[in-house]
Amino acid sequence: MENDTPKLPPLRSLKLNKEFKRAYYQGGYKAHPLLVSYQVRNRFRAPRVGITTGKKIGCAVRRNRARRILRQACRELMREEPQLFGGFDFVFVAREKTPDSTTPEIKRVMQKQLAALKNNPRNPGRTGR
C-alpha cells in the first residue's frame, strides 16, 4: 500500500549551545502561552531550527511529546509557507501547555509569530541582556 502524501522536508537543526544563545541574545522573539519563538538571521540560505523543552514541562514523556508537536508543526508550516523561513535560525521554546495542545493549534500560533517576526525581525527594547 503506497502513501500518496508528500514527505515533509527534513529539518536542519541547531545543535550547539552558542547557536541557541545567539538566537536568544541577538534575535527577535515573540511569546505566547503555548510557545516562544526566537529568530536570528544566519549565514546559510536554508533555515535551521532548534527546539528546547525545560523541566517545567513535566516528565520525559511530556517533554518528548512537546518536541514532537513542535517539530511536526514546523515541518508542515515549512512546506506550506517556505517564505517565512528563508535565511534564519529559529529556536522554539515549549511552554507548560504545549504537550496538551494539538499540532494545528501550535502551527497556528507559530505562523502568527513567524509572520510578526518577519515584519519586525528585531524587537525594540531588547538591549538589557
Side-chain angles (χ1 to χ4, degrees):
M1 188 166 107
E2 245 181 73
N3 190 354
D4 292 335
T5 321
K7 190 173 180 180
L8 294 175
L11 293 177
R12 292 186 67 193
S13 61
L14 299 176
K15 292 184 173 58
L16 301 177
N17 187 26
K18 67 180 181 180
E19 295 170 339
F20 282 86
K21 283 186 177 181
R22 185 170 164 267
Y24 295 144
Y25 295 119
Q26 294 177 10
Y29 74 98
K30 289 289 177 193
H32 185 274
L34 294 176
L35 167 72
V36 180
S37 300
Y38 292 88
Q39 170 186 308
V40 66
R41 187 164 293 285
N42 68 19
R43 298 183 312 244
F44 313 105
R45 289 192 172 185
R48 298 186 304 168
V49 176
I51 295 174
T52 61
T53 53
K55 289 236 178 167
K56 281 185 182 180
I57 303 244
C59 65
V61 173
R62 288 182 57 82
R63 292 195 304 270
N64 287 332
R65 176 172 164 71
R67 278 191 285 269
R68 281 195 312 270
I69 291 170
L70 290 174
R71 201 175 306 119
Q72 182 64 23
C74 189
R75 279 191 192 120
E76 289 178 11
L77 198 57
M78 194 177 286
R79 184 184 62 198
E80 293 169 12
E81 297 191 44
Q83 73 277 6
L84 289 177
F85 287 88
F88 288 96
D89 287 342
F90 297 93
V91 175
F92 298 109
V93 180
R95 292 243 170 127
E96 289 183 53
K97 295 180 181 180
T98 304
D100 302 323
S101 307
T102 62
T103 301
E105 289 174 328
I106 297 292
K107 189 168 92 172
R108 193 170 28 257
V109 170
M110 194 180 284
Q111 181 179 19
K112 286 180 183 176
Q113 289 180 340
L114 294 183
L117 286 169
K118 193 76 163 175
N119 295 334
N120 182 13
R122 181 95 174 136
N123 293 346
R126 186 116 202 270
T127 58
R129 292 207 238 178

